[in-house]
Structure formats: structure tokens, C-alpha cells
């Protein structure tokens, strides 16, 4: 049998016009051949051509049926062959790839580690973004859950509302199926279990709260609106609380909450808590009357949209109700308008910007890693060029060679991906375990199928990205170029793709460095904001006198309690001073309307603080003018108070504050006979209540002795020897237990409370800074590789130069110069990219503008210094080369 | 072909015959058909279409493999050849066939009760 070649070309040409598939064509050809062969034989045997054809066709039998069956089997065979061919080529490529990888274990390990780091970090960030930002809230109909907001006179929305406004929105609107309130000021409850009092994080809810959220109950039921309104003694607890504190019994017990026996009616599953931190849900009745306490903006409001209602539609409806309320109450409202925001966004809040930024940055790190590996691949492709050129020359298609090169680089990528997923799993868990409480919804974060799919995609993508440039370059070599030049194919000429890759790395690294520098600058600016008090050595204990014996408007037991507490704590070793206050920095706080006797601005507001005599010295708040409270300021005497610098500047400009009279129209409105006039006796410094980022606000201070109505919940402030803080905390805890075991306190160093406000900012800064350092290192390694490669390639040239008398400095300058050209070009692009990207992160900046010369300058300086160092090493090596050897070997 | 005048082909026999035809070397479909006709003296009624179906079936089972080639008188034809598995199959099946026919013939050869 001989192979057909004769008509092959003609047949191929004809096929272009043939619409049948290969299978059908071959089959028809086979049948035709058969019939012709028989005709030939029959004619030879003496039949006429016509008779012979008829006989041949007759002998063939049912031709159509045969063709149909044969085609089916031929097609099956063809599919199988195609599969086998593809699998076979992949198998060969993999074997070659593994062999290639094993030949240079150092490089392979580096590649695998780089991929693992890049893919692992990116996957981990994605898992967090996915859990926090992308996944719907874990409640039924999550897209219908909204947060209701107030809008102030300047158009700013804020997520707090007053009960009065909420009531009117609820009564007047149709876009909400249900809505409820959660108290802001009360967020914990004293629970007495046996002889131990604990302060449990609690949600005090009004309205049909559980109809809105619809959490899953492990056992029992929700309490109803009727129960809440009739102040029934019922509570719902979280699964964790139920298991750890109530023993997980299905026969739900009664517990003592705030000095009252309360029946637990239901247990909410752990992942279904709303608010996230709550362990206890307690009913609060709302006042079912329109317009009650409209300026008491002390609640979060949540709602469930009616089916088919969109967020903007609901917003419009509530907005028009709010407008009617405003028109009916001209000039007296703090909250002007109303708005609606998806609950998910309200829950996540400011974290979203940080998380997206970090995900973006880590993807940039991954990109740099890919570029780096691509660059390494390029230098390695030199050694592969002869082999590839040979393959191309003996007939391997360029596509086939490309496939092989890409498969080869997918091997380390897949290895890196697998390691990366392990890394992501570990790092996500440790991130959540360590800083989960500064990330909202951190309980919803996990590595699931979706995250794994993204990791797999990242692996493929980065493998292909890293492979594409070197593979295209290598598969482009020709044997002629290889044989023709003494140096061979890719060794001659400039390494433009390599320089472009490193330039891109430099640009991306500079982008991250700039972003990182801006965050570091912001952090320093934040810290530069004086708190206005001294946190060092200060312990605060938030105490609620949650027992029947302390209730009632004027209560001697209460007064006695605070007296005893301060005396006993004051005499502890290491304690220097004690004081109490209602709203101490780092805890709850609030403001209300104030009125000035001689005019002043309408609608003026101020933080209202009740403090004991020694509060200012204990907290380290400076007295600017006048005097502080003293024992002669007794109940029943003239009401006296202090204001802070902001108050004096905002409301009393032009006159002296001391001696003027003011009154707290909101906070003291419940005092019989209306809010009394208070004479200002001094001015103190401003404080930043919720840490460094809080604005200073007008504040007024009144004496605890003169307003004993409000001392049911106070914070004890203890100034201690900073070196004995731990011991003092323990001593304070035991004193509180000894004085009254039914009272629980939240005791913490003030420094820790204030630091908590910085946690998210610090976390974002630290993570971004480490990403940018990583990016810088990768870019430096890339540049190092590029210059080393250039040195190797230009050995002969360097040898010639050295032989002709070029000095070492000159050679170093030459190599460094070509390196810095790449760096500067990259830096230029990086600066342009930074200009665009840093404007997007404006919300995360504090006290600096996106284009901050110091941040940009230092980022650029660090970049140039590190890259110059990276380039210097191979440059010096080049200069040290012996010219003779260089000439011989080059 | 008039079936009455020919011996009907038992199921599975055709495959065996084709394998046997190929045991002498690669051959195209028509070659196999004419070889079978001449060896059986035209006694076996084999449709060409049935033959090709058998060939493709055997190819799918990888008992034969096919390749395009050119005949003596310069026509393109598809040549079939026994694979290693095909050769083994032929030996085993021929043996089974021999024992089977021997047993059947032996029984049929017994004198009847009539």
C-alpha cells in the first residue's frame, strides 16, 4: 500500500467548496471507491459499463441506510480521536513542563512562592470583600431591608432618627411593609445569673422588630409588638448567650435583667444577629403619638420595603412626609428630611471604601508578581530559544509551541494556586480572628465555593499572564535568526518587552507606595489632633444601677452608691484621682438644644455633660478661665455650669462667657418647672469625644450634685499610676462586685476605648503599607533581574569598553543609567496613575489632599532609592568583570 | 442477491470472516468483499453495506484500523488492517467457532428417532 500524494493538493483545494463534513466526505469517497472497484472487475469480466454499475449498486444493498449508520459510527470515532489528541498533547506538555521545572528547582520554587503569595493574598481579600460587601444579608428577602435616615439642614444624611419622626413616617407612608427602632443610647443590659452580674450587649427594640428582620429562631419565638407595648417582661437571646449562659436548655428560663425577672421567649441563631453584636433583645414601648420628642434623635430605624417598592421610591415618600413635618414645625427641628438606604450598605458603612481599596491594591500586587515572573520567563526564554526554534523548524505549529510554553508556566501557577488557597484559608481565618471586630459582618466571611472559583480563575489568569509575553517572544524566534547570528535569536537586540514589564511593575509599585504614603500621612494627621484629655493611666467603668432599689427620681440609695464607690476606689493603691460623668469620652454621648439668656443663635446645640467636682483634673481637661465645680455648688443652690472653648467661641463671641446664663432646653426639659437657667462659672478646653477624628463641638458641663435625677447610669473615671493599670482594673472590678454584686460594669482603659476608633484606619493603613512594600520588593527584584540579564547580554560590549579604558564608574553609570531610564519611565506612568487613583480614595484621607507633596515625594524617593540599589548590584558586578574574560566568554 | 439460494449469515460470523480476510494483510473493503465471495464460492450472501458496517464496527472496537491508500490501478481506497487486539480476537473467536460448530455438527449427526 502506498500513501496517496498525487491528487492530494487538488482534493484539498476542492474541499474548500465542499459543505459536507470530513466524516461524510470520507465515507462517500470510500463507498464510491468500492463501487468503482467492483465496476472495474465486472467490466473486466465482460459486462457493459451500464450493467456493471447497476449490478455494483445492487450488490451494495441499502446504500442510504448504510451511509447513515456508517456516518454515525465515523463521527463517534472522530470525536474520540480529537479528545485523545488533545489529552495526549496536554500530557506531553505537562511532562515536558515538569521536567523543565525540575531542571531549575530554584526558579520553580521562586515562581511557585510568588504565585502562592499573590494568589493567596488576593483570594483572602476577595473572601473578605465577598463576605462583607457582596453577599446579601443572611435574612429572608434581604434586598428589601433598609435603614431609615434623617437629613440635617445642610443636606447630610445620618442614620439616626427620633421616635416622633419615625412614628409619622410609619403612619403616613405606604412604602414600608414594617419598620422598627433600635435604641442607640442603650446598648447593654445588666443580667444577673446566679451571683454573677454581667453586662450583655443588648438591643432595645421598639415596634415590630422581628417582622422586619425575620431572623431564624433556634427555639422559641419572637416577642410581639403587643408584648413590647405592654412592657411585658420578655426577652429574646442569641444562641451563644443561650448556650454559654443559660446552658442551652430548651425549657427557656426567666432571667434577671436590669433588676427585673424576664421570661426568655426565643433564641436567635448565631449568624442571624441584628445588630451584629447583640446577645439580648429587649422590648421598649414606643409612644404612639405623632411628633413626640422630635429632637430626641436617639434611635436607629430599620424597615422592610413593601413588595415591589424601590429604595428611591421609599426615599421620596418619606422625604415628602418629612417635608410636611418641617413645614408644620418651622425652625425647631434638628432633623429636616428623611432618607432610605439599603440596610446592607448601612451595616457596612465606611468599611466598604477601605475593603475595595485593599482588594484593588492586592490585585495590583498580583499583577506585579505576574509581570515579575513574565520578566524572569523572558530572561529564561533565551536558553529555550534554540530548542523552540528547532521545533518550529521541524514543523511544530506556532500555536502548538505556544500551548506548550503556556502549559509549562501554568505548572508553577497551579502549584502556587493550591498553596495560595491554603494561604488564603489560613490568612482569612487569622485576619478575622484578630481584627474581625473592626470589620462589619466579619461573621459572614469564609472560603466557600465562590471564593474557590475566584481563586481558580486567578490562578489560570495569572499563569497565562505570566506566560504570555515570554511565550509569544520565544515562539517568535526563527531558526534562521538563531543560526545566522553568532549570539543567536533573542540574545541580540534590546530587551524591550523586559523593560516594558519592569517599567509597568515600577509604575504599579509607585501607585501603591503613593496610596500607602497618603494613608500614613492621614494617620499622623489624625494623631496630631489633640484629644483634649489625657488617656494615659485612665480607667473608665460604665456602670448602670440596674436594680429596683436604685429606681425613682430622687433616690438616696443611688447617691450613696456613687459616694461609696468613689471613696472605696479612691483609696485603692495606685489610684490618684476619681470622678464620675454621664457621657465620658469613649462611651455614649449626645447633644441637645441650648438657649442663651442674652440672645445668641437659635437652634444652638451642645453636648450635655454631668460631672462630679474633680472630673476636669481627673480627665486632664484644662480649665481656661473661671473656676471649676466646688462643694458649695449644692443641690437647691444656684445652678452653675461650665462651657468649653468651642461653646464660648460659637455662641458667646464678643463677650466673656463667665457670668452669662444658659439652659439645656432638651436635656433638662423633664425637670419640673422646665429647664432652669444655669450660670456659667468657667470655660474648659475642648474634647474629642469619640477619638482623634471627632470634630470638637460646643459642650456644657453641669454638676452631678445639682442634677441627681440623671445619675442612674454614670461612668467612673479613675486616674491611676500608668504602671499599675492592670492591677487597678482588677481592683476596681472587685470593688464594684463587693459594693453590690447585682451591678455589672464595663471596665476598660480609656486608651483602649480611644484606640478602638482608630482600629479600622490603622488596619487599612498597615495592610496597604505592607502591600506597597511587597510591591516595591517585587519591582526591585524585577529590575535586578532585568539588569542582571542586560549585563549578561552585554558582557562582550562591557569587556570592549573596559579594554578601551572605560573606568569602573563609567560602566556602573552606564548600567545604572539604563536601569534608571526604565524606573523613571515607570515612575512617570505611576504618577499619572496615582493622580487618578488617589482621588478615588479621598474618603479615607484625613487632613491631607490626594495630591500631597510630602506623600508623593516620599513615595517617589523610596521608589528611586530602592530600585537604584537593586540595579546597583548587577552594575557593580559588571564593572568588576575582568575585561579579558569578558571578551573571551561574551 | 437471492437470499434463498445463499446461506444466511449467522450473527457475529461476518465480523469473524472479515478479521480472517484481513489476517493476510491490509485490504480495502472491496478487496475483502471479493475475497469472501471467491473463498465461499459465492455461497455466503453478504451485502456490501453489511460488510462496511462490520468494518466500521470493528474499527470502533479497535480490532482493525484504517488508512487511505492507493490501489494497483491507482484508485484511492481506504485500507483496513488488523490491530494486535484484532489478531488476538480472531484467534480466540475462531477457536470458539470451531468448538461450537463441532458440537452442533456432532449433535446433528446423531441418528434421529424416525
Amino acid at each position: 500500500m502506498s500513501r496517496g500524494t498525487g491528487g492530494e493538493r487538488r482534493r484539498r483545494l476542492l474541499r474548500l467548496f465542499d459543505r459536507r463534513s470530513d466524516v461524510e466526505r470520507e465515507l462517500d469517497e470510500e463507498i464510491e471507491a468500492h463501487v468503482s472497484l467492483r465496476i472495474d472487475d465486472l467490466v473486466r469480466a465482460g459486462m457493459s459499463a451500464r450493467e456493471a454499475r447497476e449490478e455494483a449498486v445492487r450488490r451494495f444493498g441499502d446504500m442510504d441506510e448504510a451511509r447513515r449508520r456508517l456516518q454515525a459510527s465515523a463521527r463517534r470515532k472522530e470525536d474520540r480521536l480529537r479528545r485523545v489528541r488533545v489529552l495526549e498533547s496536554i500530557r506531553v506538555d505537562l511532562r515536558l513542563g515538569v521536567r523543565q521545572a525540575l531542571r531549575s528547582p530554584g526558579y520553580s520554587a521562586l515562581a511557585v512562592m510568588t504565585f502562592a503569595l499573590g494568589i493567596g493574598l488576593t483570594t483572602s481579600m476577595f473572601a473578605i470583600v465577598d463576605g462583607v460587601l457582596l453577599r446579601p444579608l443572611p435574612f429572608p428577602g434581604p434586598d428589601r431591608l433598609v435603614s431609615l435616615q434623617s437629613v440635617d439642614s445642610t443636606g447630610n444624611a445620618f442614620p439616626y432618627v427620633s421616635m416622633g419622626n419615625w412614628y409619622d413616617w410609619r403612619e403616613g407612608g405606604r412604602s414600608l411593609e414594617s419598620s422598627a427602632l433600635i435604641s442607640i443610647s442603650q446598648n447593654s443590659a445588666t443580667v444577673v445569673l446566679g451571683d454573677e452580674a454581667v453586662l450583655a450587649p443588648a438591643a432595645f427594640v421598639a415596634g415590630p422588630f422581628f417582622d422586619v428582620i425575620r431572623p431564624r429562631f433556634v427555639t422559641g419565638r419572637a416577642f410581639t409588638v403587643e408584648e413590647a407595648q405592654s412592657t411585658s417582661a420578655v426577652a429574646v437571646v442569641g444562641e451563644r448567650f443561650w448556650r454559654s449562659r443559660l446552658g442551652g436548655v430548651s425549657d427557656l428560663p426567666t432571667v434577671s435583667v436590669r433588676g427585673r425577672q424576664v421570661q426568655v421567649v426565643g433564641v436567635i441563631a448565631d449568624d442571624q444577629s441584628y445588630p451584629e453584636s447583640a446577645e439580648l433583645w429587649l422590648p421598649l414601648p414606643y409612644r404612639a403619638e405623632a411628633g413626640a420628642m422630635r429632637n430626641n434623635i436617639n434611635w436607629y430605624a430599620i424597615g422592610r420595603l413593601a413588595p415591589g417598592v424601590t429604595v428611591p421610591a421609599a426615599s421620596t415618600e418619606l422625604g415628602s412626609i418629612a417635608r410636611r413635618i418641617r413645614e408644620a414645625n418651622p425652625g425647631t427641628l434638628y432633623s429636616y428630611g428623611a432618607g432610605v438606604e439599603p440596610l446592607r450598605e448601612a451595616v457596612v458603612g465606611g468599611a466598604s471604601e477601605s475593603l475595595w481599596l485593599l482588594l484593588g491594591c492586592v490585585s495590583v500586587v498580583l499583577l506585579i508578581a505576574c509581570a515579575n515572573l513574565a520578566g524572569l520567563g523572558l530572561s529564561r526564554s533565551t536558553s529555550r530559544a534554540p530548542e523552540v526554534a528547532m521545533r518550529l523548524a521541524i514543523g511544530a505549529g506556532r500555536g502548538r509551541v505556544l500551548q506548550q510554553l503556556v502549559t509549562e508556566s501554568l505548572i508553577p501557577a497551579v502549584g502556587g494556586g493550591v498553596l495560595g488557597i491554603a494561604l488564603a484559608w489560613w490568612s482569612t481565618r487569622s485576619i478575622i480572628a484578630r481584627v474581625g471586630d473592626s470589620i462589619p459582618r466579619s461573621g459572614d466571611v469564609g472560603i466557600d465555593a465562590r471564593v474557590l472559583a475566584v481563586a481558580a480563575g486567578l490562578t489560570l489568569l495569572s499563569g497565562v499572564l505570566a506566560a504570555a509575553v515570554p511565550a509569544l517572544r520565544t515562539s517568535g524566534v526563527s531558526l534562521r535568526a538563531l543560526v545566522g547570528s553568532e549570539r543567536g535569536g533573542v540574545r541580540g537586540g534590546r530587551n524591550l518587552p523586559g523593560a516594558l514589564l519592569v517599567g509597568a511593575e515600577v509604575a504599579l509599585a509607585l501607585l501603591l507606595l503613593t496610596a500607602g504614603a497618603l494613608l500614613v500621612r492621614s494617620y499622623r494627621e489624625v494623631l496630631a489632633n489633640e484629644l483634649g484629655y489625657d488617656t494615659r493611666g485612665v480607667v473608665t467603668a460604665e456602670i448602670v444601677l440596674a436594680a429596683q432599689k436604685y429606681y425613682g427620681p430622687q433616690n438616696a440609695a443611688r447617691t450613696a452608691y456613687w459616694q461609696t464607690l468613689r471613696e472605696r476606689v479612691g483609696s485603692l493603691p495606685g489610684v490618684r484621682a476619681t470622678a464620675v460623668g454621664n457621657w465620658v469620652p469613649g462611651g455614649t454621648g449626645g447633644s441637645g438644644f441650648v438657649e442663651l439668656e442674652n440672645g445668641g443663635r437659635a437652634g444652638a446645640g451642645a453636648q450635655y455633660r454631668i460631672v462630679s467636682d474633680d472630673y476636669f483634673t481627673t480627665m486632664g481637661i484644662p480649665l481656661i478661665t473661671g473656676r471649676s465645680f466646688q462643694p458649695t455648688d449644692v443641690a437647691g443652690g444656684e445652678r452653675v455650669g461650665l462651657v468649653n472653648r468651642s461653646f464660648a467661641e460659637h455662641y458667646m463671641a464678643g463677650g466673656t462667657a463667665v457670668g452669662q446664663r444658659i439652659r439645656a432646653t432638651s436635656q433638662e426639659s423633664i425637670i419640673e418647672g422646665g429647664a432652669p437657667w444655669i450660670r456659667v462659672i468657667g470655660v474648659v478646653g475642648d474634647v474629642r469625644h469619640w477619638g482623634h477624628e471627632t470634630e470638637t463641638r460646643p459642650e456644657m458641663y453641669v454638676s452631678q450634685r445639682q442634677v441627681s435625677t440623671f445619675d442612674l447610669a454614670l461612668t467612673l473615671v479613675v486616674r491611676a499610676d500608668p504602671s499599675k493599670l492592670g492591677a487597678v482594673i482588677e481592683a476596681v472590678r472587685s470593688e464594684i462586685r463587693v459594693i453590690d454584686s447585682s451591678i455589672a460594669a464595663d471596665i476598660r482603659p480609656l486608651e483602649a476605648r480611644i484606640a478602638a476608633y482608630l482600629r479600622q484606619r490603622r488596619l487599612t493603613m498597615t495592610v496597604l503599607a505592607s502591600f506597597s512594600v511587597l510591591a516595591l520588593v517585587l519591582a526591585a527584584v524585577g529590575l535586578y533581574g532585568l539588569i542582571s540579564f542586560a549585563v549578561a547580554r552585554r558582557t562582550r560590549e562591557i569587556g570592549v569598553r573596559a579594554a578601551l579604558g572605560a573606568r569602573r564608574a563609567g560602566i556602573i553609570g552606564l548600567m545604572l543609567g539604563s536601569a534608571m531610564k526604565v524606573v523613571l519611565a515607570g515612575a512617570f506612568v505611576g504618577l499619572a496613575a496615582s493622580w487618578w487613583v488617589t482621588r478615588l480614595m479621598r474618603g479615607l484621607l484625613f487632613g491631607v489632599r490626594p495630591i500631597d507633596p510630602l506623600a508623593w515625594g516620599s513615595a517617589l524617593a523610596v521608589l528611586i532609592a530602592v530600585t537604584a540599589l537593586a540595579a546597583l548590584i548587577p552594575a557593580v558586578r559588571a564593572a568588576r568583570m575582568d575585561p579579558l574574560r569578558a571578551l573571551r566568554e561574551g | 442477491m437471492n437470499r434463498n439460494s445463499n446461506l444466511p449469515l449467522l450473527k457475529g460470523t461476518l465480523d469473524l470472516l472479515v478479521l480472517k480476510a484481513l489476517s493476510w494483510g491490509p485490504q480495502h473493503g472491496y478487496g475483502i468483499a471479493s475475497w469472501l465471495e471467491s473463498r465461499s464460492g459465492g455461497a455466503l450472501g453478504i451485502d456490501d453495506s453489511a460488510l462496511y458496517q462490520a468494518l466500521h464496527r470493528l474499527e470502533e472496537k479497535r480490532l482493525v484500523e484504517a488508512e487511505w491508500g492507493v490501489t494497483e490501478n491507482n484508485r484511492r481506497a481506504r485500507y483496513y488492517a488488523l490491530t494486535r487486539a484484532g489478531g488476538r480476537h480472531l484467534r480466540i473467536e475462531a477457536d470458539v467457532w470451531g468448538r461450537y460448530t463441532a458440537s452442533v455438527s456432532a449433535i446433528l449427526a446423531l441418528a434421529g428417532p424416525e
Side-chain angles (χ1 to χ4, degrees), chain A residues 29-30 34 41 58-59, chain B residues 1 30 37 52 76 80:
Chain A
E29 213 175 324
E30 185 174 13
H34 176 94
D41 272 5
R58 194 185 58 77
R59 294 266 286 269
Chain B
M1 188 167 289
Y30 177 70
E37 273 165 36
Y52 277 97
R76 247 170 76 87
Y80 293 85

Side-chain angles (χ1 to χ4, degrees), chain B residues 107-114:
Chain B
I107 292 168
L108 293 179
L110 291 175
E114 338 153 55

Side-chain angles (χ1 to χ4, degrees), chain A residues 339-386:
Chain A
V340 174
E341 189 187 23
L343 188 59
R344 187 173 57 168
E345 284 166 30
V347 167
V348 173
S352 126
E353 204 172 3
S354 293
L355 289 177
W356 281 121
L357 177 70
L358 291 181
L359 182 61
C361 288
V362 79
S363 316
V364 167
V365 172
L366 180 61
L367 264 184
I368 296 179
C370 290
N372 215 334
L373 290 170
L376 279 175
L378 266 184
S379 351
R380 280 164 48 83
S381 66
T382 311
S383 57
R384 299 295 302 283

Side-chain angles (χ1 to χ4, degrees), chain A residues 315-330:
Chain A
S315 217
T316 308
E317 192 197 49
L318 294 195
S320 66
I321 298 172
R323 195 167 52 245
R324 283 202 296 277
I325 297 174
R326 191 171 69 227
E327 282 159 9
N329 301 272

Side-chain angles (χ1 to χ4, degrees), chain A residues 519-869:
Chain A
L519 287 192
V520 171
R521 281 271 288 130
S522 298
Y523 191 68
R524 301 191 68 130
E525 286 293 315
V526 167
L527 289 186
N529 267 356
E530 297 277 345
L531 287 171
Y533 46 91
D534 181 11
T535 57
R536 252 166 40 91
V538 173
V539 175
T540 55
E542 292 182 357
I543 298 168
V544 182
L545 298 182
Q548 286 298 336
K549 63 181 168 197
Y550 297 117
Y551 295 163
Q554 304 285 332
N555 185 312
R558 222 154 60 202
T559 316
Y561 179 89
W562 297 117
Q563 189 82 32
T564 317
L565 178 70
R566 288 190 56 196
E567 273 166 18
R568 297 189 65 143
V569 170
S571 62
L572 288 171
V575 171
R576 292 175 181 166
T578 64
V580 293
N582 66 333
W583 289 337
V584 169
T588 330
S591 64
F593 283 108
V594 289
E595 208 175 292
L596 281 79
E597 195 176 30
N598 46 1
R601 276 196 4 215
Q607 304 274 318
Y608 176 83
R609 302 178 189 276
I610 304 166
V611 298
S612 63
D613 290 356
D614 317 323
Y615 181 77
F616 301 109
T617 51
T618 310
M619 283 294 287
I621 299 171
L623 180 71
I624 295 169
T625 56
R627 66 168 178 91
S628 179
F629 296 118
Q630 58 194 35
T632 51
D633 304 324
V634 290
E638 189 193 22
R639 285 292 302 279
V640 291
L642 287 92
V643 296
N644 70 344
R645 187 201 293 270
S646 293
F647 192 107
E649 283 173 1
H650 278 93
Y651 304 139
M652 296 164 158
T656 47
V658 175
Q660 296 198 40
R661 293 210 300 172
I662 58 175
R663 56 180 181 177
T665 41
S666 310
Q667 258 88 13
E668 295 196 353
S669 62
I670 57 164
I671 291 180
E672 235 168 286
W677 287 105
I678 299 167
R679 188 168 300 282
V680 176
I681 54 170
V683 178
V684 291
D686 294 341
V687 300
R688 295 183 193 273
H689 190 88
W690 287 296
H692 299 85
E693 288 188 62
T694 331
E695 297 289 316
T696 55
R697 290 175 193 165
E699 293 165 293
M700 60 178 291
Y701 291 88
V702 296
S703 166
Q704 180 213 6
R705 212 178 297 112
Q706 294 188 322
V707 282
S708 54
T709 324
F710 299 120
D711 56 5
L712 197 59
L714 291 177
T715 299
L716 173 71
V717 183
V718 180
R719 176 165 292 280
D721 182 346
S723 64
K724 294 182 179 136
L725 205 59
V728 167
I729 290 176
E730 279 321 300
V732 169
R733 198 186 304 282
S734 82
E735 286 302 326
I736 289 171
R737 199 177 302 132
V738 169
I739 297 168
D740 183 342
S741 66
S742 70
I743 301 302
D746 178 13
I747 309 170
R748 268 182 282 171
L750 184 55
E751 226 166 359
R753 288 190 202 263
I754 299 302
Y757 299 115
L758 287 174
R759 231 168 9 191
Q760 201 166 312
R761 174 174 289 282
R762 215 179 49 203
L763 183 65
T764 309
M765 176 188 71
T766 314
V767 175
L768 182 55
S770 23
F771 286 166
S772 57
V773 168
L774 196 56
L776 180 62
V777 169
L778 285 172
V781 169
L783 186 71
Y784 170 85
L786 181 77
I787 301 303
S788 304
F789 181 50
V791 167
R793 204 163 34 109
R794 290 165 76 174
T795 305
R796 168 177 289 243
E797 178 201 327
I798 292 166
V800 170
R801 281 172 190 267
L804 291 177
R807 291 209 251 153
R808 278 189 179 176
I811 291 171
I812 292 177
L814 181 76
M815 300 313 294
L816 213 52
S818 64
M820 290 331 271
K821 243 188 270 171
V822 175
V823 169
L824 289 179
F828 183 74
V829 176
L831 287 177
S834 302
W835 181 78
W836 178 65
V837 170
T838 52
R839 283 186 311 164
L840 298 178
M841 53 186 282
R842 195 170 262 154
L844 294 170
L845 302 186
F846 187 96
V848 293
R849 278 168 309 139
I851 298 185
D852 176 64
L854 185 55
W856 286 54
S858 46
L860 196 59
V862 168
L863 176 85
I864 289 181
V866 172
T867 49
L869 200 66

Side-chain angles (χ1 to χ4, degrees), chain A residues 116-365:
Chain A
L117 198 63
I119 294 168
L121 291 178
T122 310
T123 304
S124 175
M125 269 317 298
F126 175 78
I128 294 172
V129 165
D130 185 45
V132 176
L133 302 180
L134 302 182
R135 271 187 235 183
L137 291 171
F139 307 111
D143 294 337
R144 287 165 56 201
L145 291 173
V146 292
S147 148
L148 311 185
Q149 307 185 317
S150 297
V151 178
D152 69 14
S153 54
T154 62
N156 283 328
F158 52 97
Y160 324 118
V161 306
S162 71
M163 193 177 264
N165 283 348
W166 168 76
Y167 184 79
D168 287 346
W169 298 346
R170 193 168 114 91
E171 294 297 305
R174 286 202 188 133
S175 48
L176 295 174
E177 184 181 279
S178 55
S179 69
L181 296 175
I182 304 160
S183 171
I184 294 173
S185 55
Q186 305 189 65
N187 49 27
S188 61
T190 310
V191 183
V192 180
L193 299 153
D195 56 355
E196 190 193 5
V198 294
L199 209 56
F204 289 85
V205 301
F209 174 83
F210 297 105
D211 284 349
V212 179
I213 295 292
R214 300 184 190 164
R216 188 166 55 78
F217 279 78
V218 176
T219 178
R221 60 173 179 90
F223 49 75
T224 62
V225 184
E226 291 69 34
E227 282 173 313
Q229 286 302 81
S230 65
T231 64
S232 300
V234 288
V236 163
V237 299
E239 190 178 353
R240 205 170 322 121
F241 186 90
W242 174 60
R243 291 196 194 286
S244 65
R245 304 282 187 186
L246 307 179
V249 289
S250 57
D251 191 13
L252 296 173
T254 63
V255 290
S256 162
V257 179
R258 310 175 112 197
R260 208 173 153 203
Q261 283 300 311
V262 165
Q263 175 66 48
V264 176
V265 295
V267 179
I268 290 182
D270 259 343
D271 55 342
Q272 299 269 297
S273 299
Y274 187 90
E276 241 183 293
S277 57
E279 294 187 353
L280 203 57
W281 286 259
L282 296 163
L284 264 193
Y286 61 87
R287 283 163 67 177
E289 86 188 74
M293 299 173 77
R294 285 203 196 279
N295 284 320
N296 186 1
I297 300 175
N298 212 1
W299 304 84
Y300 294 110
I302 53 168
R304 182 173 282 274
L305 294 176
V309 175
T310 63
V311 168
S315 217
T316 308
E317 192 197 49
L318 294 195
S320 66
I321 298 172
R323 195 167 52 245
R324 283 202 296 277
I325 297 174
R326 191 171 69 227
E327 282 159 9
N329 301 272
T332 63
L333 294 182
Y334 187 67
S335 161
Y336 265 56
V340 174
E341 189 187 23
L343 188 59
R344 187 173 57 168
E345 284 166 30
V347 167
V348 173
S352 126
E353 204 172 3
S354 293
L355 289 177
W356 281 121
L357 177 70
L358 291 181
L359 182 61
C361 288
V362 79
S363 316
V364 167
V365 172

Side-chain angles (χ1 to χ4, degrees), chain A residues 1-4 8 11 26-27 29-30 33-34 36-38 40-41 44 58-61 66 69-70 73 76-77 80, chain B residues 1 26 28-30 33 37 46-49 52-53 56 59-60 62 67-71 73 75-80:
Chain A
M1 164 181 59
S2 61
R3 280 169 196 279
E8 192 66 38
R11 252 191 302 278
E26 283 213 335
L27 199 61
E29 213 175 324
E30 185 174 13
H34 176 94
S36 316
L37 284 166
R38 190 179 291 284
D40 287 352
D41 272 5
R44 215 172 294 133
R58 194 185 58 77
R59 294 266 286 269
F60 196 87
R69 288 185 174 217
L70 292 176
S73 84
R76 277 198 299 276
K77 188 186 69 191
R80 200 182 60 222
Chain B
M1 188 167 289
H28 49 71
Y30 177 70
E37 273 165 36
I46 305 170
D47 268 358
D48 291 348
S49 71
Y52 277 97
Q53 281 171 44
H56 283 241
E59 198 185 353
E60 256 185 273
R62 304 196 194 188
E67 206 171 4
W68 285 94
V70 177
T71 64
N73 31 20
R75 275 187 193 282
R76 247 170 76 87
R78 211 155 171 255
Y79 277 81
Y80 293 85

